[in-house]
Amino acid sequence: MRFLLDDEQREFARTLDGMLGSAGTPGVVRAWASGDHGPGRALWGRLAEAGVFALAVPEEHEGVGLLPVELAVAFGELGRHAVPGPVAETAAAGALLGRLGGDAAHVWLPQLASGKAVVSLCVLSPGGSPYALDADAADAVFVVDGDTVRLADSHGPVQPSADPARRQARPLGGVVFAQGPAVTAAAAYAADVAALVTAAQALGLGRALLESTVEYVRRRTQFGVAVGSFQAVKHRLADTLIALEFAQPLIYAAALALAADGPAAGREVAAAKVSACEAAYGAARTALQLHGAVGYTEEPDLSLWIRKARPLRTAWGTPAVCRARVLAGGAVR
């Protein structure tokens, strides 16, 4: 199986990297964490213009069809630049509504593709989180509870998170607009999409943390030499790089499996999710330790990346859940 990106996909990644690199995302993240969504909404619009959200919307609703590989490419860059907001949830909501169709799809999917609507998704399940990400910023929060879907009409208080920019609140109320076995199947597919793009985000985040750490240990000196020349530091960085490199083909394999919508897709997605998120979490620990006291303060932008690793690790499938799914064969999504 071929996992190399083609020229168009690589150019797409470079375009997003360049755009986000000049967008001042640290300031956007800090504003979002404080409840100021203006800069984040502006960046959201630019991502939509670049076609990011259209990748999760069927063509008949002004998208380009659900393209898992391209979504993985895009979300890798979103993770690299620590873009805030319910980006994974928006992609998953696009997959959910695209599968269900009906009036809700007709109303919301074109807005989702164009970036006019910020959407969040909460899938209630045993042991899962009852909170929706960024419900206070979203134009719509879709809630899946068993075989029903409702559009929440309000939300509870915003809850604290390890990542201040991940603002969570319990969705409240709403009228059921879809019900039945089709909802269960569509929600499972949407959860796989969310897990895939979360894995891609984590991989991008981990790569950014590794790059910043390598740059730092090259500059920082101790006993008159660069810290990066110490053997123990080299080994730690090498281990981090290997974990990230091993995770990348798993993400592409999961994207291809999801595109084919075969029975093995759930297992592939779970393997990618646990591998990428554990690698990113390891990269965050490496960055924290090798930056020394600097890594433990909130003032440097580094903290914005470090604090995202742990929440991404548990979002849309904890490591334990993903490992159990892999061992079970992932036949049921």
Side-chain angles (χ1 to χ4, degrees):
M1 187 175 289
R2 185 176 183 272
F3 295 129
L4 295 177
L5 300 177
D6 60 30
D7 291 341
E8 187 175 349
Q9 290 164 337
R10 286 194 292 269
E11 181 58 31
F12 182 42
R14 283 192 293 268
T15 299
L16 288 176
D17 183 37
M19 183 191 79
L20 293 169
S22 62
T25 53
V28 175
V29 174
R30 293 185 190 279
W32 194 275
S34 70
D36 177 7
H37 303 127
R41 293 294 293 247
L43 182 58
W44 195 279
R46 294 183 65 186
L47 291 171
E49 289 176 3
V52 171
F53 301 117
L55 297 170
V57 175
E59 293 183 52
E60 60 267 28
H61 294 291
E62 302 180 22
V64 295
L66 184 69
L67 302 177
V69 175
E70 284 72 15
L71 275 172
V73 171
F75 274 75
E77 297 305 320
L78 268 57
R80 179 187 294 274
H81 293 278
V83 173
V87 286
E89 289 70 21
T90 292
L96 174 73
L97 296 177
R99 285 288 175 108
L100 292 177
D103 292 341
H106 179 74
V107 170
W108 288 103
L109 286 179
Q111 296 186 64
L112 188 155
S114 67
K116 293 179 180 177
V118 173
V119 176
S120 192
L121 175 68
C122 177
V123 178
L124 301 176
S125 60
S129 172
Y131 299 104
L133 181 64
D134 296 311
D136 60 322
D139 300 296
V141 178
F142 294 97
V143 182
V144 178
D145 188 358
D147 65 349
T148 66
V149 183
R150 57 186 170 88
L151 179 60
D153 54 21
S154 62
H155 63 82
V158 173
Q159 302 297 315
S161 169
D163 174 7
R166 289 183 67 86
R167 299 167 59 83
Q168 302 181 94
R170 190 186 296 268
L172 304 173
V175 177
V176 173
F177 67 82
Q179 190 169 22
V183 169
T184 304
Y189 184 73
D192 276 350
V193 171
L196 172 68
V197 297
T198 299
Q201 273 185 285
L203 182 64
L205 177 81
R207 290 196 181 281
L209 284 166
L210 178 60
E211 289 167 7
S212 65
T213 305
V214 169
E215 180 183 357
Y216 181 76
V217 298
R218 282 175 175 167
R219 291 185 287 105
R220 182 187 172 198
T221 61
Q222 194 172 61
F223 308 116
V225 297
V227 171
S229 66
F230 298 160
Q231 199 69 16
V233 172
K234 289 181 179 180
H235 285 171
R236 185 65 184 268
L237 293 172
D239 288 344
T240 301
L241 176 61
I242 288 170
L244 293 168
E245 289 294 320
F246 279 1
Q248 181 164 306
L250 293 180
I251 290 176
Y252 292 149
L256 291 171
L258 201 56
D261 200 18
R267 181 178 67 248
E268 298 282 2
V269 169
K273 174 68 170 57
V274 69
S275 178
C277 289
E278 293 289 57
Y281 185 57
R285 291 173 62 88
T286 297
L288 185 67
Q289 292 176 359
L290 296 188
H291 276 80
V294 173
Y296 288 85
T297 60
E298 293 189 359
E299 287 77 11
D301 292 340
L302 175 73
S303 66
L304 304 178
W305 273 255
I306 287 178
R307 297 183 72 170
K308 288 184 180 299
R310 190 180 186 95
L312 287 178
R313 184 174 180 247
T314 56
W316 297 102
T318 65
V321 167
C322 289
R323 289 189 179 100
R325 194 175 182 193
V326 172
L327 292 173
V332 180
R333 285 209 293 264

